[in-house]
């Protein structure tokens, strides 16, 4: 099988596009306008034919606990045009083009199965409604290739979905199977990875309050190239854990293997926690290139332990050797 390893690519031309779409609104202002504004937005999106009920139909509540004023969100244009989505090409600019050439992500059914008391199958939009709508969280995003962004995600805490499924005591891990549709996805036809792209978390990691399922970005429906309509977000881990376009979530007893671990086990492990002290075999993880951060190649900054979420998540790994469990 042909395997193209992730590389630290040059910035595309779009990197110079200034942010013009969006400003994070202060919470008070958001609350004032949430009802009318959200309805208006939904109507506008429907009229323009770009609506996805998953986010367009739901007001996003800004969660003040997940809005660090020191984080400067990356431009929408960059978040949605500099992508890793091997199903739609291995070049950063390809997914935006190839994932929008007839690939349909609505309607979309997701199946919740395995070791749980309440397995179910549900439409992605109905799932968001059932879980009480979407909220927004601004998280750091760190790719294993040593570049980073700051992304305002819309979606719901994964813990809410897990509570609904009600896992059995034997369930120790959660797996995320993403879509398989070689007719729509040229990368799957070329077999550039082992498909479907697959990821897993320990159940306690998945229940952590930071673990999230994204359905939107900047208050807009999540674009196909970013993993529409449901995509995992685990901000203290490298980006390859964030499985895109999920079709199945399973509760299992044994630690699963994920796609990149299957492809190159000496380079990628199960945990994939951001750790500046444990280098990738081929490059340092001590620092990262900030996409859109200025300069031709983006500014460089120090990488933080657990991507800056050490206070919140370190306890999950107490006593573990993080060099062995990379
Ligand atoms: N999910 C699927 N299904 N296929 C992929 O190729 N790439 C992963 C992850 N999720 C990938 C995926 C990698 S390597 C990264 S860094 C992130 O998605 C990139 O997310 P972004 O394009 O939204 O920045």
């Amino acid at each position: 099988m042909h395997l193209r390893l992730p590389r630290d690519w040059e910035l595309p031309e779009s990197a110079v596009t200034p942010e013009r779409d969006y400003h994070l609104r202060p919470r008070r202002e958001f609350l004032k306008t949430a009802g009318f504004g959200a309805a208006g937005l939904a109507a506008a999106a429907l009229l323009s034919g770009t609506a996805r009920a998953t986010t367009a139909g739901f007001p996003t509540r800004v969660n003040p606990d997940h809005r660090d004023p020191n984080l400067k969100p990356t431009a929408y244009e960059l978040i949605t045009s500099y992508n890793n989505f091997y199903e739609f090409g291995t070049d950063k600019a390809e997914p935006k083009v190839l994932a929008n050439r007839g690939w349909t992500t609505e309607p979309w059914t997701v199946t919740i199965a395995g070791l749980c008391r309440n397995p179910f199958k549900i439409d992605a939009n109905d799932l968001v409604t059932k879980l009480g709508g979407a909220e927004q969280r601004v998280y750091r995003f760190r790719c294993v290739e040593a570049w980073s962004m700051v992304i305002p995600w819309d979606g719901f805490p994964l813990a809410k979905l897990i509570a609904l499924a009600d896992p059995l005591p034997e369930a120790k891990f959660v797996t995320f199977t993403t879509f398989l549709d070689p007719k729509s996805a040229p990368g799957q036809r070329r077999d550039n990875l082992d498909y479907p792209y697959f990821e897993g978390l320990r159940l306690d990691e998945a229940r952590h309050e930071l673990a999230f399922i994204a359905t939107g970005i900047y208050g807009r429906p999540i674009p196909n190239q970013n993993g529409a309509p449901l995509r995992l977000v685990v901000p203290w881990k490298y980006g390859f854990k964030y499985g895109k376009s999920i079709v199945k979530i399973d509760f299992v007893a044994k630690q699963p293997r994920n796609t990149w671990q299957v492809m190159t086990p000496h380079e990628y492990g199960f945990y994939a926690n951001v750790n500046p002290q444990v280098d990738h075999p081929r490059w340092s993880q001590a620092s990262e290139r900030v996409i859109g951060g200025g300069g031709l190649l983006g500014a460089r900054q120090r990488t933080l332990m657990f991507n800056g979420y050490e206070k919140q998540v370190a306890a999950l790994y107490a006593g573990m050797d993080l060099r062995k469990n990379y």
Side-chain angles (χ1 to χ4, degrees):
M1 182 188 302
H2 168 70
L3 166 66
R4 182 147 171 203
L5 295 165
R7 287 194 280 165
D8 211 2
W9 293 80
E10 298 267 308
L11 279 182
E13 214 176 296
S14 55
V16 295
T17 306
E19 174 58 275
R20 57 172 184 264
D21 296 316
Y22 178 87
H23 299 284
L24 285 175
R25 281 174 290 163
R27 182 168 162 73
R28 243 178 305 135
E29 188 195 327
F30 181 84
L31 288 175
K32 238 180 6 198
T33 56
F36 179 77
L41 258 176
L46 282 165
L47 282 174
S48 69
T50 57
R52 167 191 299 288
T54 304
T55 48
F58 297 96
T60 306
R61 289 164 281 119
V62 176
N63 186 330
D65 298 338
H66 295 284
R67 240 196 87 195
D68 181 343
N70 300 315
L71 291 183
K72 186 176 171 292
T74 306
Y76 179 83
E77 173 61 21
L78 284 174
I79 298 170
T80 58
S81 64
Y82 187 83
N83 300 106
N84 274 337
F85 201 172
Y86 275 43
E87 287 87 334
F88 298 100
T90 52
D91 186 284
K92 296 283 184 286
E94 277 179 313
K96 182 176 178 179
V97 178
L98 299 179
N100 291 293
R101 270 198 195 150
W103 179 43
T104 310
T105 54
E106 186 169 9
W108 189 274
T109 303
V110 59
T111 302
I112 317 297
L115 302 170
C116 61
R117 292 184 188 89
N118 181 30
F120 58 98
K121 237 183 209 191
I122 192 166
D123 172 77
N125 294 330
D126 294 344
L127 178 62
V128 182
T129 310
K130 204 174 167 102
L131 296 177
E135 64 173 72
Q136 187 177 81
R137 295 180 175 197
V138 181
Y139 281 163
R140 290 186 199 86
F141 176 90
R142 171 59 156 84
C143 176
V144 77
E145 297 163 344
W147 52 266
S148 69
M149 298 190 186
V150 172
I151 305 183
W153 300 107
D154 307 278
F156 55 82
L158 179 55
K160 278 193 181 180
L161 184 150
I162 295 175
L164 202 61
D166 196 8
L168 292 163
E170 312 84 278
K172 302 290 182 225
F173 296 87
V174 192
T175 64
F176 303 85
T177 308
T178 75
F179 82 108
L180 186 65
D181 180 2
K183 274 211 284 311
S184 306
Q188 294 184 340
R189 290 201 293 277
R190 273 184 247 132
D191 257 354
N192 62 7
L193 282 183
D194 197 28
Y195 292 114
Y197 195 96
F198 188 80
E199 261 305 339
L201 294 173
R202 233 169 48 195
L203 185 54
D204 59 337
E205 294 180 309
R207 276 184 163 135
H208 191 280
E209 77 147 311
L210 292 178
F212 201 64
I213 297 288
T215 59
I217 291 175
Y218 273 108
R220 303 179 183 187
I222 193 163
N224 283 0
Q225 64 269 29
N226 291 86
L230 302 169
R231 178 269 166 92
L232 181 62
V233 172
V234 258
W236 69 98
K237 293 182 180 283
Y238 291 121
F240 73 84
K241 295 296 287 181
Y242 299 35
K244 291 178 171 182
S245 308
I246 296 165
V247 294
K248 192 157 183 252
I249 297 177
D250 269 296
F251 296 91
V252 300
K254 290 213 176 91
Q255 183 172 310
R257 298 218 301 156
N258 55 58
T259 296
W260 279 105
Q261 195 181 14
V262 169
M263 301 304 296
T264 43
H266 63 288
E267 296 195 330
Y268 304 105
F270 173 76
Y271 281 95
N273 290 318
V274 175
N275 188 340
Q277 285 144 35
V278 178
D279 288 339
H280 185 280
R282 289 181 286 133
W283 59 82
S284 163
Q285 294 292 24
S287 69
E288 63 206 35
R289 186 162 54 87
V290 183
I291 302 292
L296 202 59
L297 296 175
R300 272 211 103 77
Q301 69 183 18
R302 240 169 17 96
T303 290
L304 301 172
M305 188 63 199
F306 294 112
N307 203 24
Y309 301 99
E310 183 170 13
K311 206 169 90 198
Q312 292 87 354
V313 302
L316 289 171
Y317 310 102
M320 273 176 64
D321 182 342
L322 297 177
R323 281 185 184 276
K324 277 198 191 131
N325 296 285
Y326 56 88

